[in-house]
Amino acid sequence: MSFLVEENPAKHRFEILVDGALAGFTAYLPRGAVRVFTHTEVRPEYQDMGVGAALVRATLEQVREQGGRVVPQCPFVRAFIERHPEYADLVVTPV
């Protein structure tokens, strides 16, 4: 099984493809260099396979490479960051 995570700026989300098929996404609201993550969804047939974690990990890596920051309003993204403190430096508090 191969994963590919790509940003879809037109839809304000990062999408994960599994073997070429759209398996899920994490949606955000753009606020300059900050992305406010609001919702993460994985299609039922891809749940419990690590797809959500792979999606969020790759998304956060891409945000870091772009010099961006995040506001994890989405419970899934927030929980992922709490379990992986190496991404805590990306979090900003909304004003």
Side-chain angles (χ1 to χ4, degrees):
M1 185 163 50
S2 67
F3 297 135
L4 173 65
V5 175
E6 296 179 315
E7 185 173 10
N8 184 336
K11 291 187 175 182
H12 297 158
R13 67 189 197 178
F14 284 81
E15 300 171 340
I16 187 164
L17 305 175
V18 176
D19 297 331
L22 180 64
F25 64 88
T26 186
Y28 63 85
L29 301 171
R31 299 288 183 262
V34 176
R35 290 181 179 90
V36 180
F37 285 93
T38 58
H39 179 72
T40 301
E41 191 171 309
V42 174
R43 293 178 57 182
E45 61 268 31
Y46 295 102
Q47 291 179 0
D48 301 318
M49 298 169 63
V51 171
L55 167 62
V56 174
R57 181 181 307 279
T59 294
L60 294 173
E61 289 293 336
Q62 289 181 39
V63 169
R64 176 173 276 143
E65 288 169 12
Q66 297 166 3
R69 304 292 289 277
V70 302
V71 176
Q73 286 183 351
C74 166
F76 189 85
V77 174
R78 185 171 46 250
F80 182 89
I81 292 171
E82 287 171 2
R83 286 191 314 273
H84 298 89
E86 64 268 29
Y87 296 107
D89 62 307
L90 296 175
V91 176
V92 293
T93 306
V95 257

